[in-house]
Amino acid sequence: MAILYSLVARGNVVLVEYANATGNFALVTRAILEKMPPQASPVPLKKSYQYDRQTFHFILVSGITYLCMTEQSFPRRLTFAFLEDVKSKFTGMFSDAVVQSAATFGLTNEFERVLKGQMDFYSKNPEADQFYPVKKQVDEIKHIMVESIDNLLDRSERIDLMVTKAAGMEETTYTFERDSGRLRFWEKVRRIRCWILTFTVIALIIIILVCVMVLYLTR
Protein backbone atom coordinates (compact mmCIF):
# COMPACT_ATOMS: atom_id res chain seq x y z
CA MET A 1 0.00 0.00 0.00
CA ALA A 2 1.37 3.40 -0.92
CA ILE A 3 0.88 6.98 -1.99
CA LEU A 4 1.94 6.76 -5.63
CA TYR A 5 1.73 10.35 -6.82
CA SER A 6 1.09 13.84 -5.53
CA LEU A 7 0.94 17.41 -6.75
CA VAL A 8 0.16 20.99 -5.78
CA ALA A 9 -1.65 23.12 -8.34
CA ARG A 10 -3.03 26.64 -8.71
CA GLY A 11 -6.20 26.14 -10.71
CA ASN A 12 -5.06 23.87 -13.55
CA VAL A 13 -1.44 25.07 -13.33
CA VAL A 14 0.68 22.36 -11.71
CA LEU A 15 3.30 24.03 -9.53
CA VAL A 16 5.07 20.86 -8.35
CA GLU A 17 4.51 17.12 -8.57
CA TYR A 18 6.25 13.87 -7.67
CA ALA A 19 5.57 10.20 -8.42
CA ASN A 20 6.78 6.83 -7.20
CA ALA A 21 5.39 4.83 -10.12
CA THR A 22 5.25 4.80 -13.89
CA GLY A 23 2.07 5.45 -15.81
CA ASN A 24 -0.15 8.07 -17.40
CA PHE A 25 -1.69 9.36 -14.18
CA ALA A 26 -0.21 12.82 -14.76
CA LEU A 27 -2.49 13.10 -17.78
CA VAL A 28 -5.44 11.90 -15.71
CA THR A 29 -4.80 14.51 -13.03
CA ARG A 30 -4.79 17.26 -15.68
CA ALA A 31 -8.29 16.17 -16.72
CA ILE A 32 -9.35 16.21 -13.05
CA LEU A 33 -7.87 19.68 -12.45
CA GLU A 34 -9.78 21.03 -15.44
CA LYS A 35 -13.00 19.97 -13.71
CA MET A 36 -12.19 21.48 -10.34
CA PRO A 37 -14.75 24.09 -9.24
CA PRO A 38 -13.51 27.66 -8.81
CA GLN A 39 -12.91 27.91 -5.09
CA ALA A 40 -11.57 31.02 -3.40
CA SER A 41 -12.96 30.13 0.02
CA PRO A 42 -10.56 29.41 2.89
CA VAL A 43 -12.93 26.57 3.88
CA PRO A 44 -11.36 23.38 2.43
CA LEU A 45 -13.21 21.19 -0.05
CA LYS A 46 -12.19 17.55 0.40
CA LYS A 47 -13.10 14.66 -1.89
CA SER A 48 -11.97 11.26 -3.12
CA TYR A 49 -12.56 9.79 -6.58
CA GLN A 50 -12.28 6.08 -7.32
CA TYR A 51 -10.52 5.41 -10.62
CA ASP A 52 -10.08 1.71 -11.45
CA ARG A 53 -7.80 0.26 -8.75
CA GLN A 54 -6.50 3.66 -7.64
CA THR A 55 -8.10 6.55 -5.77
CA PHE A 56 -7.49 10.26 -6.28
CA HIS A 57 -7.88 12.39 -3.15
CA PHE A 58 -7.68 16.17 -2.92
CA ILE A 59 -8.01 19.19 -0.69
CA LEU A 60 -8.99 22.40 -2.50
CA VAL A 61 -8.61 25.60 -0.53
CA SER A 62 -8.27 29.22 -1.65
CA GLY A 63 -7.78 28.11 -5.26
CA ILE A 64 -4.90 25.75 -4.46
CA THR A 65 -5.31 21.99 -4.96
CA TYR A 66 -3.34 19.44 -2.94
CA LEU A 67 -3.90 16.11 -4.69
CA CYS A 68 -2.55 12.58 -4.46
CA MET A 69 -3.18 9.16 -5.97
CA THR A 70 -3.08 6.06 -3.80
CA GLU A 71 -3.72 2.39 -4.14
CA GLN A 72 -7.36 1.65 -3.38
CA SER A 73 -6.50 -0.17 -0.15
CA PHE A 74 -4.42 2.69 1.29
CA PRO A 75 -6.06 4.08 4.49
CA ARG A 76 -7.85 7.35 3.86
CA ARG A 77 -6.96 8.68 7.30
CA LEU A 78 -3.30 8.50 6.27
CA THR A 79 -4.07 9.97 2.87
CA PHE A 80 -5.74 13.11 4.19
CA ALA A 81 -3.20 13.44 6.98
CA PHE A 82 -0.56 13.44 4.23
CA LEU A 83 -2.44 16.11 2.25
CA GLU A 84 -2.91 18.27 5.34
CA ASP A 85 0.78 17.91 6.16
CA VAL A 86 1.75 18.89 2.60
CA LYS A 87 -0.62 21.87 2.72
CA SER A 88 0.87 23.03 6.02
CA LYS A 89 4.44 22.76 4.74
CA PHE A 90 3.57 24.40 1.40
CA THR A 91 1.87 27.42 2.94
CA GLY A 92 4.71 27.69 5.44
CA MET A 93 7.35 27.79 2.70
CA PHE A 94 5.71 30.07 0.12
CA SER A 95 3.94 33.41 0.37
CA ASP A 96 0.68 33.95 -1.48
CA ALA A 97 2.46 36.30 -3.89
CA VAL A 98 4.98 33.59 -4.82
CA VAL A 99 2.26 30.96 -5.28
CA GLN A 100 0.10 33.22 -7.44
CA SER A 101 2.96 34.27 -9.71
CA ALA A 102 4.71 30.90 -10.07
CA ALA A 103 4.84 29.37 -13.56
CA THR A 104 4.07 25.75 -14.42
CA PHE A 105 6.40 23.51 -12.34
CA GLY A 106 7.89 26.73 -10.98
CA LEU A 107 8.16 25.43 -7.40
CA THR A 108 9.65 22.03 -8.26
CA ASN A 109 13.19 22.77 -7.08
CA GLU A 110 12.02 23.97 -3.68
CA PHE A 111 9.17 21.57 -2.93
CA GLU A 112 9.61 18.31 -4.85
CA ARG A 113 11.84 16.86 -2.13
CA VAL A 114 9.14 17.69 0.45
CA LEU A 115 6.53 15.73 -1.52
CA LYS A 116 8.92 12.79 -1.83
CA GLY A 117 9.80 12.84 1.87
CA GLN A 118 6.19 12.97 3.04
CA MET A 119 5.07 10.32 0.55
CA ASP A 120 7.77 8.00 1.86
CA PHE A 121 6.91 8.76 5.48
CA TYR A 122 3.17 8.12 5.19
CA SER A 123 3.63 5.11 2.88
CA LYS A 124 6.42 3.26 4.68
CA ASN A 125 6.88 4.45 8.25
CA PRO A 126 4.85 2.45 10.82
CA GLU A 127 4.88 5.49 13.09
CA ALA A 128 2.85 7.50 10.55
CA ASP A 129 -0.36 6.06 11.95
CA GLN A 130 0.50 7.51 15.37
CA PHE A 131 1.32 10.91 13.93
CA TYR A 132 -0.86 13.74 15.32
CA PRO A 133 -2.40 14.83 11.99
CA VAL A 134 -3.53 11.22 11.40
CA LYS A 135 -5.38 11.03 14.71
CA LYS A 136 -6.91 14.43 14.07
CA GLN A 137 -8.29 13.27 10.71
CA VAL A 138 -10.07 10.08 11.83
CA ASP A 139 -13.51 11.53 12.64
CA GLU A 140 -13.43 14.01 9.77
CA ILE A 141 -12.65 11.32 7.18
CA LYS A 142 -15.96 9.62 7.88
CA HIS A 143 -17.74 12.59 6.29
CA ILE A 144 -15.65 12.74 3.10
CA MET A 145 -17.43 10.98 0.27
CA VAL A 146 -15.72 8.59 -2.12
CA GLU A 147 -17.23 9.03 -5.57
CA SER A 148 -16.72 7.33 -8.90
CA ILE A 149 -14.57 9.26 -11.35
CA ASP A 150 -17.54 9.01 -13.72
CA ASN A 151 -19.25 11.63 -11.54
CA LEU A 152 -16.49 14.08 -12.50
CA LEU A 153 -15.38 13.17 -16.03
CA ASP A 154 -17.60 12.52 -19.02
CA ARG A 155 -17.14 9.15 -20.67
CA SER A 156 -15.48 10.83 -23.65
CA GLU A 157 -12.96 12.49 -21.29
CA ARG A 158 -12.07 9.35 -19.39
CA ILE A 159 -8.48 8.16 -19.85
CA ASP A 160 -7.47 4.54 -19.36
CA LEU A 161 -5.38 4.73 -16.21
CA MET A 162 -2.07 2.87 -16.33
CA VAL A 163 0.07 2.44 -13.22
CA THR A 164 3.05 0.10 -13.17
CA LYS A 165 5.18 -0.95 -10.23
CA ALA A 166 8.83 -1.64 -10.88
CA ALA A 167 9.52 -5.33 -11.38
CA GLY A 168 11.44 -7.10 -8.61
CA MET A 169 10.95 -4.36 -6.04
CA GLU A 170 9.07 -4.31 -2.76
CA GLU A 171 5.44 -3.29 -2.73
CA THR A 172 6.14 0.30 -1.75
CA THR A 173 9.17 0.80 -3.98
CA TYR A 174 8.56 2.16 -7.45
CA THR A 175 10.36 3.67 -10.40
CA PHE A 176 9.38 7.05 -11.69
CA GLU A 177 9.18 7.72 -15.41
CA ARG A 178 7.47 11.06 -15.63
CA ASP A 179 4.64 11.74 -17.99
CA SER A 180 5.12 15.21 -16.57
CA GLY A 181 8.48 15.29 -18.35
CA ARG A 182 6.62 15.48 -21.62
CA LEU A 183 4.43 18.25 -20.28
CA ARG A 184 7.47 20.19 -19.10
CA PHE A 185 9.13 19.74 -22.49
CA TRP A 186 6.13 21.11 -24.38
CA GLU A 187 5.76 23.92 -21.88
CA LYS A 188 9.40 24.91 -22.59
CA VAL A 189 8.79 24.63 -26.34
CA ARG A 190 5.78 26.91 -26.01
CA ARG A 191 7.80 29.49 -24.07
CA ILE A 192 10.66 29.37 -26.60
CA ARG A 193 8.19 29.89 -29.43
CA CYS A 194 6.74 32.88 -27.61
CA TRP A 195 10.21 34.34 -27.10
CA ILE A 196 11.14 33.80 -30.75
CA LEU A 197 7.91 35.40 -31.91
CA THR A 198 8.42 38.35 -29.55
CA PHE A 199 12.03 38.91 -30.67
CA THR A 200 11.00 38.58 -34.32
CA VAL A 201 8.30 41.21 -33.94
CA ILE A 202 10.70 43.55 -32.12
CA ALA A 203 13.37 43.01 -34.80
CA LEU A 204 10.88 43.77 -37.59
CA ILE A 205 9.75 46.94 -35.83
CA ILE A 206 13.38 48.07 -35.44
CA ILE A 207 14.12 47.32 -39.12
CA ILE A 208 11.03 49.25 -40.24
CA LEU A 209 11.97 52.22 -38.03
CA VAL A 210 15.55 52.24 -39.35
CA CYS A 211 14.31 52.11 -42.97
CA VAL A 212 11.91 54.97 -42.33
CA MET A 213 14.69 57.05 -40.74
CA VAL A 214 17.08 56.33 -43.64
CA LEU A 215 14.46 57.34 -46.20
CA TYR A 216 13.72 60.50 -44.22
CA LEU A 217 17.40 61.49 -43.93
CA THR A 218 18.18 60.84 -47.61
CA ARG A 219 15.40 63.10 -48.84
Side-chain angles (χ1 to χ4, degrees), residues 64-202:
I64 305 300
T65 302
Y66 306 88
L67 181 148
C68 70
M69 181 187 76
T70 68
E71 295 175 320
Q72 186 176 344
S73 57
F74 192 77
R76 287 205 299 149
R77 66 183 183 279
L78 286 176
T79 300
F80 281 95
F82 162 76
L83 290 174
E84 287 286 357
D85 200 7
V86 167
K87 179 168 72 72
S88 176
K89 286 178 168 53
F90 187 82
T91 54
M93 284 182 64
F94 304 108
S95 67
D96 186 61
V98 170
V99 173
Q100 294 303 321
S101 63
T104 303
F105 303 116
L107 303 180
T108 295
N109 290 341
E110 295 91 340
F111 205 72
E112 184 182 51
R113 66 182 183 277
V114 177
L115 289 181
K116 179 183 184 302
Q118 299 314 108
M119 286 168 65
D120 288 344
F121 176 76
Y122 284 94
S123 296
K124 301 177 183 179
N125 195 325
E127 296 181 2
D129 215 9
Q130 304 302 317
F131 198 46
Y132 172 70
V134 178
K135 294 181 178 181
K136 185 179 178 182
Q137 293 293 322
V138 171
D139 291 333
E140 185 179 345
I141 296 305
K142 298 176 183 178
H143 304 290
I144 299 175
M145 294 180 61
V146 179
E147 301 181 14
S148 168
I149 197 68
D150 293 328
N151 293 341
L152 183 69
L153 302 180
D154 296 333
R155 184 167 297 181
S156 60
E157 297 172 311
R158 188 181 171 98
I159 301 169
D160 289 334
L161 181 61
M162 295 181 292
V163 179
T164 305
K165 297 179 185 179
M169 293 191 177
E170 295 180 0
E171 183 181 8
T172 55
T173 306
Y174 304 88
T175 58
F176 177 30
E177 177 184 286
R178 296 189 185 184
D179 281 313
S180 61
R182 298 177 186 175
L183 297 171
R184 293 184 188 184
F185 171 76
W186 288 112
E187 177 67 19
K188 289 180 180 178
V189 169
R190 186 187 66 79
R191 289 181 185 175
I192 291 172
R193 286 175 177 171
C194 289
W195 292 339
I196 291 174
L197 179 60
T198 301
F199 292 145
T200 301
V201 171
I202 293 173

Side-chain angles (χ1 to χ4, degrees), residues 32-84:
I32 293 174
L33 289 174
E34 289 289 345
K35 294 289 185 175
M36 287 288 185
Q39 208 261 10
S41 171
V43 178
L45 171 64
K46 301 181 181 182
K47 276 193 176 181
S48 298
Y49 286 103
Q50 194 69 46
Y51 203 133
D52 297 333
R53 290 179 294 177
Q54 275 71 41
T55 306
F56 291 88
H57 313 266
F58 71 84
I59 297 175
L60 173 60
V61 57
S62 300
I64 305 300
T65 302
Y66 306 88
L67 181 148
C68 70
M69 181 187 76
T70 68
E71 295 175 320
Q72 186 176 344
S73 57
F74 192 77
R76 287 205 299 149
R77 66 183 183 279
L78 286 176
T79 300
F80 281 95
F82 162 76
L83 290 174
E84 287 286 357

